[in-house]
Amino acid sequence: MGNLIKSEFRKTTTTGLWWGLMIPTVLLAFGWALGTGAIFKTVSDFMNSSDAEELASLLNVDPSQWQMSVFGIARSINVATIFPMIFGGLAIANEINRKTITTTFLTSPNRVSALGAKMIVYILWGAIFGIAIVASVSIGIALTSDAGSLPDAGGWLALAGVGVLSSILMTMFGVGVGALMTSVVGTTVVLLLYMLIVENGIQLVLASQGLPEVIGFLPNGAVNGLTGSVASSLFLSNAGVVPEDMVEALRAFAGALGAFDWWLSGLIFLVWSGLFFLGGWAATQRKDIT
Amino acid sequence: MHDGTGRIVVQNLTKQFGPVAAVQNLSFTVEPGSVTGFLGPNGAGKTTTLRMLLGLVTPTAGIGLINGRPFSQLGNPARVVGAVLEAQGFHPKRTARNHLRVYAAAIGVPDSRADQVLQLVGLGAAGDRKAGGFSLGMKQRLALATALLGDPQILVLDEPANGLDPEGIAWLRTFLQSYARSGRTVLISSHLLAEVEQTVDQVVIISRGQTMYYGPLDHLRDQQQGRVLVQPSDTGALVAALREDGITGIEQLPDGRIAVTGVEARQVADTALKAGVSVYGIQEEKADLERLFFQLTNGQYAAPGQYAQPVAYQQPPGYQQPPPGYQQTPPQGYQQQYQQPPAGYQQPPPGYEQQYQQPPQGYEQYQQPAQDYQAPPPGAQQPPQDNPYGQQHGQGGLGGGA
C-alpha cells in the first residue's frame, strides 16, 4: 500500500494540475476574505456610529464586541473549497479519460488498493489545499477588518481546523463524484452546477417553505454548516446578549442556515462523500477497461 | 501465490458485449521459452482476450490464468507480467521519466529502473520530454518500457509494431526473441501474419472470436498444399489421364486452365506427354502463409457458419484439410500471384525490415480480398473489380521470394 500511495502522490506532483488549481484557490480565498472583511467592517462601523448606538442600547446589545469577521472567514473558506473539490473530482475521471487507469490497474495488486491509495493521497491534498485556504483567508481578513472584530487565538484555531476539515471533505466528495461519473467534463460541470447553483436554489425553496432544517442534510448545506456553525457560535459566545430572533439571521449570514453543529454537519457531509465514493468504487471495480 | 511457470492458460474464454460476442469459447496455452503470435483480423477479439487475461475486462465465461492464477491473485502483478496494450495511456503533460517513476513506485522498484528501461528501449535522450509530444513509435517504446519496469517473466504485447519504423520493428523482433530465449514467455498479437512471421515460433490464429489454428508455425508451413496450373491443348484428355494416375484434385479454372492439387509440375507434364496432350503453359503455385492465414480467418464477416470451423483445442492442431475457401476458383489475376519460384517463399525475405517499408500496401491487402471492409480508409486503392487479388500480388516481398 505504501508503494501505491507513493505512486499516486507522484501522479499528482508530476503534472501541473495541482498548482493550476492552487493559484485560483489562493486568489479566490484571499479576494473573498478582503471583500467580506471590508463589508463587515462597514457594517460594524455603522453599528458603532451614534445613530445605531441608540438602536443597540434599545436592543440591549453591544456591537463593539461583535466579531463580524468570523462570518467573512467562514464564507470565504466555503467558496474557496470549490477548487479542492474539483481537484478531487478529476482524480479518477482524468485517469479514465487519459487511459492511464490501465497501467494503474496493471501495476496494482487489485483495484481496491489502487483506489484506496488514491483516496488517501487526495485526503492529504485536501489538507494541503485547506491550509493554503485558511492562510489566504486569514491574511485577507486581517488586512481589511478592525482588530476588535477578529476572533481570538482559540476562535481562529477552531475556524482553521474546520476550514482544513471542510477542504478535506470537499476533496473526498469530488473524488467520489468523479469516480461515479468517470467523465472529466461531466464531473466538473455537475460539481460546479450543483454546489454553486442547484443547491442554492433548493435551499431558497426550503427556507421559504419553512423547512430550513432539511438544508443541513444536503451536501452543500452540510459542508457550509461545518464552518458556518463554528463561526456563528464563536460570534454568539462573544457578542453578549443577542435577541433570539437574530440568531437565525446570524446563522444564515454565516452560511449555516438550518445546519447542525459543526461535527454533525461534518459527519453528514462525510456520509455524502462516502456514498459517492463507494458508488464510484463499485462502478470502477466492475468496469471493463477497454 | 503463483506457480512461477511462466505459462499462460486461456480456458473457454467468452465475452459478450451486449449483443456482440467478442470472444467465444477461446482456449489456448502459451508456453515459456517461445514467442507466441496471437493472430486474427481486426475485430477478431484479440484485444478483448488479452484484456480479460490481464484482469481489465471481466469474462462472461471461462478464465485466463497466468502462472496458474487469475491476474487479480498475482500479488504484485507487474513483477510477473508486463503488458503493452496500446500506445496511449500517458498523461500528455507528464515526462517519460516521470511516467515511469510513477509506476516504478507502484511496483516497488527503485527509480533508477526508470532510466534503465528508458535506455533499453532507446528513449534515453527523450526522458525529459512530455509524452504528449511523442510520435506513435516513441509511445510504443515508452509503453514497452513501462511493461519492462518490473522485469516480468511474461510479456504480453497487443499490436506492438503499430507505428514503429522498420528499424524499430527489427529491434523489437530481436528483443522479443532474446527475451523468450532466456526462458520467459512472450505473447504478441497482430492482425498481420507477415508482421510477426519472423518473430514467432507458435501461433494462435483466431477469427470471429474462435480459435482457428493453434500450434507451431512450422506445422502450418508444412501443411500448405501447392497446386499446379496447366494450360493443355485438350483438357478432357489430360483430366482423364490424370484421373488414371489416381490424381483427383483437379479443378477447371474459368480461364480454361486446370488446377491440379497435390502433385508436382513435372508429374503433370509427364502425364500430359504420355497422353499426347500439348502443354501450352504450366506453373506451380505455392500457397504462402499469408494466404493460408487469410483462408483461416476468411469470412469473419461473411454469412455465419460458412467458415465456422473452429479447431478444437488440441495438439497437434487440426488443420488437416484446406478450408472451403481454398477450393474456390479465384478470378483472373490470382494465378499470377504465385509465379515466384516455389523455393523462394521458404526463405525469409532478405531484410525483415524491408517488408515494413510498405505498410500501406500490407494493410490494403487485408482490405481487398474480402467483402469484410465496407469502406476502405482514404488512400486505400480500390482494386479492379475483376482482380481482387491484384494488390496482394503487388507486395510480393511479403509472401516470400524476391
Side-chain angles (χ1 to χ4, degrees), chain B residues 14-183:
Chain B
T14 300
K15 180 64 184 183
Q16 198 84 25
F17 286 115
V20 180
V23 176
Q24 295 172 47
N25 205 24
L26 202 63
S27 297
F28 60 86
T29 308
V30 178
E31 298 291 340
S34 68
V35 181
T36 300
F38 187 42
L39 300 166
N42 292 330
K46 300 185 297 291
T47 300
T48 305
T49 304
L50 295 184
R51 284 181 176 265
M52 285 194 279
L53 184 65
L54 295 166
L56 294 168
V57 168
T58 315
T60 309
I63 194 168
L65 299 174
I66 293 168
N67 281 3
R69 291 272 173 180
F71 184 87
S72 59
Q73 292 175 23
L74 288 177
N76 191 347
R79 295 266 200 188
V80 179
V81 55
V84 177
L85 288 180
E86 56 205 337
Q88 300 164 31
F90 310 111
H91 193 293
K93 297 287 168 56
R94 198 174 278 140
T95 66
R97 183 175 286 105
N98 279 335
H99 166 84
L100 292 168
R101 283 188 176 163
V102 162
Y103 294 109
I107 300 167
V109 293
D111 287 354
S112 58
R113 180 72 186 152
D115 288 302
Q116 274 175 27
V117 291
L118 272 177
Q119 296 293 342
L120 193 60
V121 301
L123 285 179
D128 292 323
R129 282 174 55 189
K130 289 175 177 172
F134 276 14
S135 69
L136 185 57
M138 292 172 85
K139 284 179 179 170
Q140 285 285 19
R141 287 169 189 260
L142 183 54
L144 180 62
T146 314
L148 293 172
L149 271 175
D151 196 20
Q153 188 183 6
I154 298 167
L155 261 187
V156 174
L157 305 100
D158 193 11
E159 307 266 358
N162 279 357
L164 281 186
D165 52 16
E167 202 186 342
I169 288 176
W171 171 83
L172 182 66
R173 182 187 57 184
T174 316
F175 176 81
L176 293 180
Q177 282 173 336
S178 64
Y179 207 81
R181 273 195 209 102
S182 65

Side-chain angles (χ1 to χ4, degrees), chain B residues 227-301:
Chain B
R227 58 182 192 171
V228 177
L229 304 174
V230 57
Q231 176 106 55
S233 58
D234 182 346
T235 307
L238 180 60
V239 169
L242 285 168
R243 290 234 164 93
E244 238 165 68
D245 287 1
I247 298 161
T248 51
I250 305 167
E251 204 185 340
Q252 175 79 51
L253 300 180
D255 64 351
R257 298 195 290 179
I258 58 172
V260 189
T261 313
V263 289
E264 283 180 36
R266 189 163 39 169
Q267 195 184 341
V268 176
D270 288 347
T271 307
L273 184 64
K274 270 189 274 175
V277 177
S278 299
V279 171
Y280 299 147
I282 187 163
Q283 67 193 93
E284 256 181 49
E285 182 193 72
K286 272 283 185 184
D288 65 339
L289 275 179
E290 205 54 66
R291 196 175 131 218
L292 213 56
F293 172 57
F294 175 62
Q295 284 163 357
L296 284 169
T297 59
N298 197 0
Q300 182 177 8
Y301 302 96

Side-chain angles (χ1 to χ4, degrees), chain A residues 2-12, chain B residues 102-103 105-106:
Chain A
N3 287 341
L4 291 182
I5 291 170
K6 189 171 162 194
S7 169
E8 289 296 334
F9 195 73
R10 280 183 177 181
K11 272 182 203 164
T12 58
Chain B
V102 162
Y103 294 109

Side-chain angles (χ1 to χ4, degrees), chain A residues 33 36-37 40-41 44 66-76 137 141-142 144-151 159 231 235:
Chain A
T36 51
F40 289 128
K41 183 173 188 296
S44 53
W66 287 8
Q67 296 176 355
M68 296 293 275
S69 68
V70 292
F71 299 123
I73 294 174
R75 283 288 188 165
S76 306
V137 167
I141 212 91
T144 49
S145 299
D146 283 333
S149 80
L150 292 174
L159 277 170
F235 180 84

Side-chain angles (χ1 to χ4, degrees), chain A residues 171-194:
Chain A
T171 312
M172 292 174 70
F173 185 74
V175 172
V177 173
L180 201 58
M181 301 267 312
T182 69
S183 146
V184 171
V185 177
T187 304
T188 314
V189 169
V190 164
L191 283 174
L192 285 179
L193 271 186
Y194 182 80

Side-chain angles (χ1 to χ4, degrees), chain B residues 301-326:
Chain B
Y301 302 96
Q306 190 181 350
Y307 291 91
Q309 295 186 312
V311 175
Y313 178 64
Q314 57 187 26
Q315 280 255 50
Y319 179 66
Q320 262 83 31
Q321 56 192 36
Y326 189 80

